[in-house]
């Protein structure tokens, strides 16, 4: 097998290891916690997920587009900026945790303390990707998976959310140490420069806007349910979506590897045909996975999510429908990114905000089940608008990324 093929396999396996880590963390936390304890943990984990996505968009996505001899300098700069920024944000979260009372406050305090460890460890994946050595990212992320599962598995039943967050964060230390060791040969003697990340016009700023409206808005809306309604709603929604974690691996892999393949196809018709077939396949997989989960006996579901299963299982039809249409929407956005990159931002803004409105409106009218169906309706609207936009567009040359 060629070097390129091995690198692609390593990248997919690395994404699978990273996604499996997130899934198993939530599953283990649900099994160890009461329903209210998992709700507190979920609120903290949603906060972490938003920060992780922002770092990926601002630092990671711009880094992996770089080529040439400067990649070593840029990788060192990216790691340095991630470490400094996560320490600053972690200090703010720690202060918030001190202000808040009870178990929720202690959980946010714990997140603030461990945030630099977990964000920097994850950020090294993009350094290795830019350096075209995904097998090194796979080694570090595989160690991360083993350590976090082992650390959480020995925690006592009924452990507090703050304790679980601390254990989860500290367990990243071995993987972080390995990642830094594997990165060292590429950055030794290189000069780190953090100033480009603070300048107006940095490429990551554009990616942050797309993430904020495309992903962060719905995450923050789910988090907002815990503020304006009840934290138990967050736990139920988070528990249901956790069970669909394997599909996130497929969607993320499609976003990572489909654009280069689609760019080699000739013409709009061939590109649309390929993405439409991929979208239908992902939609079928999403619907099928939802059906399998809905058919699980309660004893199996309880072994996966503990006390949270009873609330989360009622949301599986809505979450299954959401992931089915998300497969179609993902491929519509892929098509536009290849044929008309400027068309994606407006779609993300309008229809992601619409999904937030539908989520909150659904909760106001029909409770947590209405919120889940609101998310599904928002995803369906975005997918429909995306494919309608594909049908109307004329192919245009991709703009310079720095523009």
């Amino acid at each position: 097998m060629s070097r390129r093929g091995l690198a692609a396999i390593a990248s997919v396996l690395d994404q699978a290891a990273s996604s499996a880590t997130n899934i198993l963390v939530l599953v283990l936390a649900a099994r160890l916690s009461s329903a209210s304890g998992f709700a507190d943990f979920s609120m903290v984990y949603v906060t972490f997920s938003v920060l992780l996505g922002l770092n990926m968009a601002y630092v990671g996505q711009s880094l992996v587009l770089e080529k040439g001899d400067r990649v070593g300098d840029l990788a060192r700069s990216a790691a340095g900026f991630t470490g400094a920024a996560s320490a600053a944000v972690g200090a703010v979260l720690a202060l918030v945790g001190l202000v808040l009372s009870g178990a929720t406050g202690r959980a946010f305090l714990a997140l603030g303390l461990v945030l630099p460890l977990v964000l920097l460890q994850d950020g090294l994946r993009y350094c290795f990707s830019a350096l075209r050595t995904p097998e090194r990212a796979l080694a570090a992320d595989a160690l991360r998976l083993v350590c976090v599962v082992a650390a959480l598995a020995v925690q006592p039943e009924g452990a507090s959310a703050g304790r679980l967050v601390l254990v989860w964060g500290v367990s990243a230390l071995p993987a972080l140490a390995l990642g830094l060791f594997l990165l060292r040969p590429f950055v030794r003697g290189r000069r780190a420069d953090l100033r480009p990340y603070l300048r107006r016009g940095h490429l990551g700023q554009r990616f942050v806007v797309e993430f904020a409206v495309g992903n962060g808005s719905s995450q923050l809306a789910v988090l907002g349910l815990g503020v304006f309604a009840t934290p138990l709603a967050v736990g139920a929604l988070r528990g249901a979506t956790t069970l669909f974690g394997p599909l996130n691996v497929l969607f993320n892999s499609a976003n990572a590897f489909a654009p280069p393949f689609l760019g080699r196809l000739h013409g709009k018709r061939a590109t649309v045909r390929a993405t439409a077939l991929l979208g239908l396949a992902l939609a079928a997989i999403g619907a099928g996975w939802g059906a399998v989960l809905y058919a699980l006996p309660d004893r199996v579901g309880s072994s996966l999510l503990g006390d949270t299963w009873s609330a989360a299982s009622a949301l599986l039809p809505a979450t299954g429908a959401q992931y089915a249409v998300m497969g179609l929407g993902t491929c519509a956005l892929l098509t536009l990114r290849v044929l008309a990159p400027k068309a994606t931002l407006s779609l993300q803004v309008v229809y992601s905000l619409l999904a937030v409105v539908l989520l909150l409106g659904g909760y106001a009218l029909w409770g947590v089940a209405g919120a889940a169906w609101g998310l599904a309706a928002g995803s369906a609207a975005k997918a429909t608008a995306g494919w309608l936009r594909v049908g109307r567009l004329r192919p245009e040359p991709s703009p310079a990324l720095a523009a």
Side-chain angles (χ1 to χ4, degrees):
M1 183 177 293
S2 67
R3 165 72 182 173
R4 182 177 297 179
L6 290 173
I9 292 174
S11 296
V12 173
L13 291 176
D14 178 55
Q15 179 61 55
S18 179
S19 298
T21 299
N22 292 330
I23 295 166
L24 289 174
V25 164
L26 288 166
V27 168
L28 288 170
R31 294 183 65 179
L32 291 168
S33 307
S34 63
S36 61
F38 184 65
D40 287 330
F41 185 89
S42 295
M43 291 182 67
V44 171
Y45 209 78
V46 168
T47 302
F48 163 71
S49 299
V50 172
L51 294 172
L52 181 68
L54 289 173
N55 185 67
M56 176 270 294
Y58 195 79
V59 180
Q61 286 192 4
S62 59
L63 176 62
V64 297
L65 296 175
E66 300 288 349
K67 299 177 182 179
D69 296 334
R70 296 182 60 244
V71 173
D73 297 280
L74 296 169
R76 182 164 190 158
S77 301
F81 179 81
T82 298
S86 59
V89 176
V92 174
L93 286 174
L95 289 175
V96 170
L98 291 173
V99 172
L100 294 176
S101 60
T104 302
R106 291 190 291 273
F108 274 100
L109 173 61
L111 177 61
L113 295 175
V114 302
L115 187 68
L117 301 178
V118 291
L119 274 190
L120 182 55
Q121 191 277 320
D122 186 85
L124 294 180
R125 299 169 55 212
Y126 302 98
C127 295
F128 290 123
S129 179
L131 293 164
R132 307 295 190 264
T133 56
E135 67 279 358
R136 297 187 179 226
L138 174 59
D141 286 335
L143 179 61
R144 169 67 170 141
L145 173 60
V146 171
C147 290
V148 73
V149 169
L152 289 176
V154 298
Q155 299 307 304
E157 188 172 351
S160 67
R163 174 172 176 159
L164 294 177
V165 172
L166 271 179
V167 170
W168 158 76
V170 173
S171 68
L173 273 172
L176 175 58
L178 177 61
L180 292 173
F181 174 77
L182 295 175
L183 183 65
R184 188 169 180 267
F186 298 96
V187 301
R188 185 190 298 116
R190 300 282 187 165
R191 178 174 173 270
D193 184 7
L194 308 188
R195 290 173 297 178
Y197 291 100
L198 304 176
R199 293 174 185 155
R200 183 177 180 181
H202 172 59
L203 183 59
Q205 294 168 6
R206 177 178 177 181
F207 294 140
V208 162
V209 174
E210 287 210 25
F211 167 79
V213 297
N215 299 301
S217 57
S218 60
Q219 293 274 29
L220 289 173
V222 173
L223 185 62
L225 287 179
V227 176
F228 300 110
T230 167
L232 295 178
V234 179
L237 284 170
R238 195 65 176 173
T241 55
T242 295
L243 297 174
F244 286 82
L247 296 188
N248 290 328
V249 177
L250 294 179
F251 294 164
N252 290 333
S253 296
N255 281 315
F257 297 105
F261 168 76
L262 296 173
R264 292 194 294 267
L265 298 178
H266 300 291
K268 173 186 171 182
R269 179 174 298 180
T271 300
V272 172
R273 183 185 301 116
T275 53
L277 289 174
L278 177 60
L280 290 172
L282 292 178
I285 292 171
W289 185 251
V292 169
L293 292 175
Y294 190 68
L296 285 179
D298 286 340
R299 59 182 178 80
V300 177
S302 297
S303 69
L304 292 173
L305 292 181
D307 293 342
T308 305
W309 168 255
S310 60
S313 61
L315 308 182
L316 289 176
T319 307
Q322 179 191 358
Y323 271 82
V325 294
M326 278 174 61
L328 293 171
T330 295
C331 291
L333 292 175
L334 277 175
T335 310
L336 292 172
R337 189 170 291 276
V338 172
L339 298 178
K342 292 181 179 179
T344 58
L345 182 57
S346 60
L347 279 173
Q348 292 277 36
V349 170
V350 172
Y351 288 95
S352 294
L353 294 178
L354 174 62
V356 172
V357 172
L358 292 173
L359 179 147
L360 297 176
Y363 183 83
L365 293 174
W366 299 292
V368 67
W373 280 111
L375 283 174
S379 295
K382 183 189 290 188
T384 301
W387 282 110
L388 289 175
R389 183 70 179 88
V390 169
R392 294 196 307 267
L393 66 81
R394 292 183 179 180
E396 62 182 56
S398 298
L401 286 172

